[in-house]
Amino acid sequence: MLHKQYCPRQSCAASKNAVRHVRFPRACATSNAASRLLLESRAIDVMTRAVYDDVASLPEPQWHKNQLRWSRPPGVRPVKAPSGAPPIIILPGFGNASTDYTEPFGNQDAALVTRLQVRGWRPYVVPLQRRDWFQVARALLTRRYWQAGLTTHPGYTWYLERVAATVEQAVRETGAEQVILVGHSAGGWLGRAFLGDPRYQQQQQSEPRQGFWASVGGLSLPAWGLTAAGGVLAARPPPPGSAGGEPHPRVAAVVTLGTPQRPPPANKKRDMTGGAQGWVDRTYPGAFFAPAGVRYVCVCGRSARGHRDFPRPREGPRIPEEYAYDSYTEVCGEGEGVVGDCVVPLDSALLPGARPVVLDGVFHSMSKIGTFDEESGVVWYGSEDVLDCWLGPLVQELGLGQGGAGSSSGVAGEGQEASLDGFCGEDREEAVLKAATAASAGASASPTGI
């Protein structure tokens, strides 16, 4: 069986289209002829891409009970932090606590932070407890919430202030000039909001200004020009939820992991953020600050297809396809036949202008669907096998060198990869097929399946 799996995109000087890579089957010595015939008859299946500019380009996968199973692509190596790599700020998703990324279920070894540290990255997590999310309810007391007319204030101001404090902490402790924002789920669109909000751009110097940061709960939060002498405001900051025209100078890149980038259509479902999510997407649409040098990578999972039978033929907890149906309906207004990471639909997770990384079989969260306190048992964006598949493209986007999945190009076979740079269009496809056919001789079998 041909193994199709997504891998990072490589650019081609002669074409603006995403470059297609080959993954050929490993066959035992007695089936080389059959492998060659299979390659010739199904050449289009051999040539696959991991990164697509348009979700409509994705090939239809082999679904099993409306699910896809993850299999780590061959040739993907751990992506070590290049020299000079900025520290990473992890923005938790809605309902998540910082411990979900530092010590999930009491297991520090399985944490996203630990896995990044092992690779030489310097991760920080915005400090949150699960109960902190009740502060979002402040928005419910405003008329504008029920009119879907809110900005990020007042529901999410508290969150953005903690992001600002964590960014300055990372800069202060590492000496770096910039950071990378990695937003999981809602943390992605809130990261986009932080990037443009002028309220958090007052502090731009390498050393904190005297009185700019006040200690609150062990964190440094903006004190807005309070002098050391005590309590004199030097300048009034922009109000919370302000729209800005420049990116935060501390942010080099934004990575979104399974983020709902936009609210559901108003004629299908209410925006449960009271308009905040829609305001962010209208104010900073797509990769809004890319012309200013900010790099964007959006990582999306394709693991569950929504489906429900009415009336429900079974009792007990929802199975993944049912949970996906319900969640997709909340996020985009539709659930039947919609595909995504079991929480966020693929269409909703793609950010126009960002570098997309679509991964089959990757789920939304580290916890079991519908819970925060039980391990899922499936791979998510921060799993050991998955992490390198988006760190590679991030390294490439930052121009910090080659590494891991980001440098994998061409045909993988016998542990080797051949570059196809310089080939485009039909010439490239012909070169791909020739390389795959030639390399199939002597390959060994590699099982795959759902």
Side-chain angles (χ1 to χ4, degrees), residues 160-171:
L160 298 182
E161 287 177 349
R162 296 194 189 188
V163 175
T166 309
V167 167
E168 289 303 321
Q169 177 189 357
V171 169

PDB file of all heavy atoms in Angstrom, residues 160-171:
ATOM      1  N   LEU A 160      -4.519  38.973  27.399  1.00  0.00           N
ATOM      2  CA  LEU A 160      -3.504  39.687  26.625  1.00  0.00           C
ATOM      3  C   LEU A 160      -2.474  40.343  27.535  1.00  0.00           C
ATOM      4  O   LEU A 160      -1.290  40.432  27.178  1.00  0.00           O
ATOM      5  CB  LEU A 160      -4.172  40.720  25.723  1.00  0.00           C
ATOM      6  CG  LEU A 160      -5.141  40.154  24.676  1.00  0.00           C
ATOM      7  CD1 LEU A 160      -5.711  41.277  23.819  1.00  0.00           C
ATOM      8  CD2 LEU A 160      -4.449  39.117  23.793  1.00  0.00           C
ATOM      9  N   GLU A 161      -2.884  40.799  28.714  1.00  0.00           N
ATOM     10  CA  GLU A 161      -1.918  41.374  29.655  1.00  0.00           C
ATOM     11  C   GLU A 161      -0.924  40.322  30.123  1.00  0.00           C
ATOM     12  O   GLU A 161       0.264  40.613  30.305  1.00  0.00           O
ATOM     13  CB  GLU A 161      -2.665  41.985  30.844  1.00  0.00           C
ATOM     14  CG  GLU A 161      -3.385  43.282  30.490  1.00  0.00           C
ATOM     15  CD  GLU A 161      -4.180  43.835  31.649  1.00  0.00           C
ATOM     16  OE1 GLU A 161      -4.349  43.109  32.666  1.00  0.00           O
ATOM     17  OE2 GLU A 161      -4.659  44.982  31.558  1.00  0.00           O
ATOM     18  N   ARG A 162      -1.384  39.107  30.289  1.00  0.00           N
ATOM     19  CA  ARG A 162      -0.461  38.038  30.699  1.00  0.00           C
ATOM     20  C   ARG A 162       0.469  37.649  29.562  1.00  0.00           C
ATOM     21  O   ARG A 162       1.627  37.289  29.789  1.00  0.00           O
ATOM     22  CB  ARG A 162      -1.245  36.828  31.206  1.00  0.00           C
ATOM     23  CG  ARG A 162      -2.040  37.136  32.455  1.00  0.00           C
ATOM     24  CD  ARG A 162      -2.543  35.901  33.146  1.00  0.00           C
ATOM     25  NE  ARG A 162      -3.480  36.246  34.207  1.00  0.00           N
ATOM     26  CZ  ARG A 162      -3.967  35.378  35.068  1.00  0.00           C
ATOM     27  NH1 ARG A 162      -3.613  34.090  35.001  1.00  0.00           N
ATOM     28  NH2 ARG A 162      -4.824  35.766  35.991  1.00  0.00           N
ATOM     29  N   VAL A 163      -0.047  37.699  28.339  1.00  0.00           N
ATOM     30  CA  VAL A 163       0.846  37.468  27.192  1.00  0.00           C
ATOM     31  C   VAL A 163       1.939  38.519  27.165  1.00  0.00           C
ATOM     32  O   VAL A 163       3.133  38.212  26.990  1.00  0.00           O
ATOM     33  CB  VAL A 163       0.049  37.474  25.874  1.00  0.00           C
ATOM     34  CG1 VAL A 163       1.004  37.357  24.685  1.00  0.00           C
ATOM     35  CG2 VAL A 163      -0.959  36.344  25.842  1.00  0.00           C
ATOM     36  N   ALA A 164       1.560  39.788  27.339  1.00  0.00           N
ATOM     37  CA  ALA A 164       2.543  40.880  27.326  1.00  0.00           C
ATOM     38  C   ALA A 164       3.598  40.682  28.398  1.00  0.00           C
ATOM     39  O   ALA A 164       4.804  40.857  28.152  1.00  0.00           O
ATOM     40  CB  ALA A 164       1.828  42.214  27.519  1.00  0.00           C
ATOM     41  N   ALA A 165       3.174  40.296  29.594  1.00  0.00           N
ATOM     42  CA  ALA A 165       4.124  40.089  30.684  1.00  0.00           C
ATOM     43  C   ALA A 165       5.061  38.920  30.394  1.00  0.00           C
ATOM     44  O   ALA A 165       6.259  38.983  30.692  1.00  0.00           O
ATOM     45  CB  ALA A 165       3.365  39.842  31.984  1.00  0.00           C
ATOM     46  N   THR A 166       4.537  37.855  29.812  1.00  0.00           N
ATOM     47  CA  THR A 166       5.363  36.681  29.510  1.00  0.00           C
ATOM     48  C   THR A 166       6.363  36.984  28.404  1.00  0.00           C
ATOM     49  O   THR A 166       7.509  36.516  28.442  1.00  0.00           O
ATOM     50  CB  THR A 166       4.478  35.486  29.120  1.00  0.00           C
ATOM     51  OG1 THR A 166       3.461  35.290  30.102  1.00  0.00           O
ATOM     52  CG2 THR A 166       5.300  34.213  29.008  1.00  0.00           C
ATOM     53  N   VAL A 167       5.954  37.762  27.417  1.00  0.00           N
ATOM     54  CA  VAL A 167       6.872  38.160  26.349  1.00  0.00           C
ATOM     55  C   VAL A 167       8.043  38.946  26.925  1.00  0.00           C
ATOM     56  O   VAL A 167       9.220  38.674  26.622  1.00  0.00           O
ATOM     57  CB  VAL A 167       6.133  38.991  25.286  1.00  0.00           C
ATOM     58  CG1 VAL A 167       7.131  39.671  24.339  1.00  0.00           C
ATOM     59  CG2 VAL A 167       5.173  38.114  24.492  1.00  0.00           C
ATOM     60  N   GLU A 168       7.759  39.922  27.783  1.00  0.00           N
ATOM     61  CA  GLU A 168       8.831  40.721  28.368  1.00  0.00           C
ATOM     62  C   GLU A 168       9.707  39.893  29.305  1.00  0.00           C
ATOM     63  O   GLU A 168      10.919  40.112  29.371  1.00  0.00           O
ATOM     64  CB  GLU A 168       8.239  41.920  29.101  1.00  0.00           C
ATOM     65  CG  GLU A 168       7.658  42.974  28.175  1.00  0.00           C
ATOM     66  CD  GLU A 168       8.687  43.502  27.174  1.00  0.00           C
ATOM     67  OE1 GLU A 168       9.862  43.680  27.557  1.00  0.00           O
ATOM     68  OE2 GLU A 168       8.310  43.723  26.014  1.00  0.00           O
ATOM     69  N   GLN A 169       9.110  38.942  29.992  1.00  0.00           N
ATOM     70  CA  GLN A 169       9.901  38.053  30.846  1.00  0.00           C
ATOM     71  C   GLN A 169      10.887  37.248  30.007  1.00  0.00           C
ATOM     72  O   GLN A 169      12.066  37.112  30.359  1.00  0.00           O
ATOM     73  CB  GLN A 169       8.980  37.110  31.617  1.00  0.00           C
ATOM     74  CG  GLN A 169       9.725  36.099  32.480  1.00  0.00           C
ATOM     75  CD  GLN A 169       8.808  35.042  33.069  1.00  0.00           C
ATOM     76  OE1 GLN A 169       7.585  35.070  32.881  1.00  0.00           O
ATOM     77  NE2 GLN A 169       9.368  34.095  33.794  1.00  0.00           N
ATOM     78  N   ALA A 170      10.422  36.706  28.895  1.00  0.00           N
ATOM     79  CA  ALA A 170      11.294  35.906  28.036  1.00  0.00           C
ATOM     80  C   ALA A 170      12.426  36.749  27.456  1.00  0.00           C
ATOM     81  O   ALA A 170      13.589  36.312  27.402  1.00  0.00           O
ATOM     82  CB  ALA A 170      10.473  35.281  26.903  1.00  0.00           C
ATOM     83  N   VAL A 171      12.096  37.955  27.028  1.00  0.00           N
ATOM     84  CA  VAL A 171      13.124  38.842  26.469  1.00  0.00           C
ATOM     85  C   VAL A 171      14.151  39.211  27.532  1.00  0.00           C
ATOM     86  O   VAL A 171      15.363  39.230  27.284  1.00  0.00           O
ATOM     87  CB  VAL A 171      12.455  40.110  25.882  1.00  0.00           C
ATOM     88  CG1 VAL A 171      13.497  41.168  25.544  1.00  0.00           C
ATOM     89  CG2 VAL A 171      11.638  39.753  24.650  1.00  0.00           C
TER      90      VAL A 171
END
